[in-house]
Amino acid sequence: MALFVGILALTGCGVLWSRHRVARIPQIPLKSATLPQLVARLNRIANGIHTLNAKLLLMASTGGPRTGTVIEYKDITAFLLVRKPADIRLLGQFSIFGTVFDMASNGRSFKLSIPPKGQFFVGQDDVIPKHVKNPLEKLRPQVILDALLINPIVPGQQVAAMNDNSEIGAQYTLLVLDPGQGGVDHIVRKIVFSRYDLEPREEVIYQPDGSVATIVEYGAFNPVDGLPFPSQIVIRRPRDEYSIRMLMQQVKLNQPLHSSQFQLHPPAGSHIIHLSANPSAGPHAGGQRAEGGVR
């Protein structure tokens, strides 16, 4: 008994325990929505954006557990044009070198100009080489397009919802599934909504085999022409080991964009490199064969 009383005395003096402050969870009321309401909200925003004209700060990183190193690229000023259904143009500039890349795509084929190296790539959006020196060489415009504008949920797709009403989680999760053969559906996307504002905070896009292809995080939504638009977008491709962070500085929605703004021509003297789905095919004019179907 004497020993027990002595231990209590020590703990009362703070010898065996300590107390410190931690950040408290903000007491913000959680918003509620039904599954049909979430689908309607998502589709209203997705269908309400037809064009996008933005200036942004672009950062990228490559590498990870497979390579054991991470390389970061920072402070690239970029200009972005998007016109549905599939037109996209992204131009990046660095203060010292000027234009470091210029990329355009119509959803089927893409062109990429890298003036500092005098290279001009031409290829198909769905042709991605397996073996590259830099993981960013696997980047395709469609990845950026799918991340920038969350696609609507179309008729025929199945939707299921999960509700985390805890103060820590505070989110709705929508699972979007495509009907498969034999009554077995397969997951296409996962969209996570915050219950503090009912805005989409994360989207996970899956491969046909169920593996994760792209993870997109959205933050700091601001109203633009009556629609909420994120000012921070992070695109991660775990299998390809690269990520892109976009900090939107100026955003304009639904302004007229002309087809000429999405046309990209090789600068004079550029070395044209064709990306082929068939590595055994003959070389194109000005092209050069490389491993993995790049030439």
Side-chain angles (χ1 to χ4, degrees), residues 71-130:
I71 301 175
E72 295 184 345
Y73 306 84
K74 299 180 179 180
D75 301 330
I76 299 175
T77 299
F79 300 88
L80 174 67
L81 298 176
V82 173
R83 183 179 65 175
K84 286 185 175 180
D87 290 326
I88 183 172
R89 178 86 176 267
L90 181 63
L91 182 147
Q93 295 179 337
F94 194 68
S95 56
I96 299 177
F97 301 102
T99 298
V100 292
F101 70 86
D102 193 353
M103 180 173 61
S105 172
N106 59 8
R108 300 180 302 277
S109 61
F110 79 95
K111 298 177 180 179
L112 171 63
S113 176
I114 306 180
K117 294 185 176 182
Q119 296 177 329
F120 191 88
F121 294 88
V122 180
Q124 302 297 314
D125 280 6
D126 57 354
V127 176
I128 302 177
K130 294 182 179 179

Side-chain angles (χ1 to χ4, degrees), residues 125-139:
D125 280 6
D126 57 354
V127 176
I128 302 177
K130 294 182 179 179
H131 306 287
V132 296
K133 293 182 179 180
N134 188 331
L136 285 176
E137 295 179 34
K138 295 186 177 183
L139 173 63

